[in-house]
Amino acid sequence: MLRTAARRPPCLVTALSLLLLVLVGCSPEHYPQTTLLPRGDFARIADDLLDTTVKWALLVFVLVEGVLIYAIFRFRGKPGDPEPHQTHGNTTVEIIWTVIPALILAAIAVPTVRAIFQTNAIPAKDALTIEVVGHQWWWEFRYPEYNVTTANEIHIPVGRTVSLRMGSADVIHSFWVPQFAAKRDVFANRESRMWFKAETEGEYPAQCAEFCGIQHGRMAYRIKAHKPAEFEAWVAHMKTLGAKPAAGTRPSEAAPASTAGSNSGVRTASEGATIQQQSGQQGGNQNAQYAAGEKLFASKGCVACHSLQAVDAPKGMVGPNLANVGARSYIAAGTLKNTDANLARWIRDPQSIKKGVLMPNLGLTEADAQALAAFLRAHQ
Ligand code: CUA
């Protein structure tokens, strides 16, 4: 196609149409992980800086290329022209072409340095602190202000600065929320900080941005930005998940949920939250599956790696907190949509889906996996 185009005489309309097509294809609306569509103050600072730099670069490009093209045509040599006048050294010109770039660099450096200080400042005391822990290959989010823990979906209020205190449970990961802020590497032996204030609610994808092992590419997470009242409702709901201290090894909230019959207890608790509810479930079969799943969760050793408590969640767990796993959009850190079929598939054979993940294949039957999926689905 390119060859055909090259043989034809240049056609401005075709060229402009193609350019338009390319530019439409580049629209940031089509790319949720774009940094060109900031939805938070931190991301806006970075985006403004990019705009500034690009504008200066564009100006330099147009001026230099313009002068070059002008010189090519205006001073083109013709046959029989005499030898052009030779110059060697010109102090005025040399001063001009040293001073102009220096001024342009200064015009870029000043906002850059300002942005570095702004984005590294420690946020005000009224910010919402969230502790972030990177794990191979999932993310843990703890809210010390509310004593609530969750995984792989970070819920934040719009209009309030969140202050992230970040670390890693193992290797170096990088926390990256493209539309809200920038990247920060997280380490096992020192704390990284970052802050941002979300401007618009919605669900946004984000992911680990530092190679951290073979499943680095499946270390994604979601940002769920809520209106303040909805965020408060989410916190209130989370506080009902495992509010009572764990007695023994049994997940504390499982007992009331199961005696109330499948999902019903959980449903009441999640009223007012922005959590999608399961619909059209068949009572009796579901109850039996839930009960079987609850038993399997304890007997198959799931409890050793996963906590079902959102409140007072133990630290240092190997696997993600599952207190509200039933309500999440994705499972396995952004690997699969959170459907019943996918949940059962994951539980049955995680190694075929995410090779190398710390969750072992437990040799479960299809019925076992479905029962566990039903049990976990009720944890919303
Ligand atoms: Cu964690 Cu890449």
Side-chain angles (χ1 to χ4, degrees):
M1 190 185 132
L2 276 173
R3 269 185 211 153
T4 326
R7 260 186 256 124
R8 284 184 192 149
C11 174
L12 195 64
V13 177
T14 315
L16 285 178
S17 311
L18 277 174
L19 184 67
L20 191 70
L21 206 65
V22 169
L23 288 178
V24 168
C26 290
S27 160
E29 302 287 347
H30 301 161
Y31 301 95
Q33 292 202 166
T34 181
T35 56
L36 302 176
L37 203 63
R39 307 231 184 236
D41 49 359
F42 187 125
R44 206 168 288 288
I45 292 170
D47 191 54
D48 287 349
L49 206 53
L50 178 70
D51 286 352
T52 305
T53 313
V54 167
K55 275 175 199 157
W56 279 112
L58 208 60
L59 180 72
V60 171
F61 177 81
V62 169
L63 283 179
V64 171
E65 295 302 310
V67 171
L68 180 68
I69 290 168
Y70 174 78
I72 286 171
F73 287 100
R74 174 70 181 74
F75 303 108
R76 176 173 295 193
K78 295 173 201 72
D81 276 356
E83 177 85 356
H85 170 65
Q86 302 293 311
T87 56
H88 181 76
N90 183 319
T91 312
T92 314
V93 170
E94 280 167 18
I95 287 174
I96 289 172
W97 75 40
T98 306
V99 168
I100 290 178
L103 288 176
I104 293 174
L105 282 181
I108 292 171
V110 170
T112 302
V113 172
R114 189 172 55 217
I116 289 171
F117 278 96
Q118 280 176 332
T119 53
N120 281 284
I122 298 295
K125 287 219 160 48
D126 62 344
L128 169 65
T129 297
I130 304 175
E131 293 169 2
V132 176
V133 186
H135 296 255
Q136 278 177 320
W137 292 279
W138 60 280
W139 293 92
E140 178 179 355
F141 303 114
R142 305 181 76 100
Y143 298 72
E145 185 177 328
Y146 305 112
N147 189 21
V148 156
T149 296
T150 188
N152 292 335
E153 286 186 0
I154 180 167
H155 291 252
I156 55 169
V158 163
R160 184 178 173 193
T161 299
V162 294
S163 169
L164 306 170
R165 310 186 75 114
M166 305 187 285
S168 168
D170 35 59
V171 299
I172 299 173
H173 305 273
S174 184
F175 185 86
W176 182 41
V177 282
Q179 288 193 289
F180 293 106
K183 292 172 185 169
R184 284 279 192 277
D185 281 7
V186 301
F187 308 90
N189 55 357
R190 81 175 161 97
E191 187 182 74
S192 311
R193 302 285 303 262
M194 190 162 72
W195 59 263
F196 65 89
K197 183 160 72 181
E199 291 166 354
T200 43
E201 60 256 37
E203 185 175 333
Y204 303 93
Q207 70 181 65
C208 179
E210 174 78 34
F211 182 73
C212 56
I214 55 168
Q215 293 299 348
H216 154 69
R218 294 197 180 96
M219 193 171 164
Y221 51 108
R222 316 287 290 179
I223 300 160
K224 294 192 170 175
H226 304 283
K227 292 196 180 87
E230 284 173 359
F231 177 75
E232 290 303 325
W234 177 78
V235 170
H237 165 69
M238 290 298 284
K239 283 186 166 182
T240 65
L241 307 181
K244 298 174 209 83
T249 54
R250 289 205 131 213
S252 57
E253 84 277 30
S258 63
T259 45
S262 190
N263 282 353
S264 56
V266 180
R267 275 190 192 182
T268 317
S270 64
E271 273 172 13
T274 58
I275 286 161
Q276 290 199 334
Q277 297 295 349
Q278 288 293 104
S279 57
Q281 296 190 339
Q282 297 126 27
N285 182 32
Q286 206 67 29
N287 280 345
Q289 272 200 322
Y290 179 96
E294 186 182 11
K295 279 205 190 86
L296 286 164
F297 196 81
S299 65
K300 291 291 181 183
C302 310
V303 282
C305 298
H306 298 283
S307 172
L308 287 164
Q309 287 178 223
V311 176
D312 287 331
K315 288 194 172 182
M317 296 299 272
V318 173
N321 186 294
L322 299 178
N324 66 335
V325 66
R328 292 179 196 154
S329 309
Y330 285 80
I331 52 168
T335 306
L336 297 171
K337 283 244 182 207
N338 191 2
T339 63
D340 289 346
N342 280 342
L343 194 50
R345 222 178 106 213
W346 170 256
I347 292 165
R348 196 161 181 208
D349 191 4
Q351 292 298 326
S352 78
I353 297 166
K354 197 167 168 180
K355 194 166 177 55
V357 70
L358 290 181
M359 178 158 156
N361 284 9
L362 295 167
L364 298 169
T365 64
E366 187 57 39
D368 285 351
Q370 280 176 13
L372 273 165
F375 172 68
L376 291 177
R377 176 67 62 217
H379 288 78
Q380 306 210 349

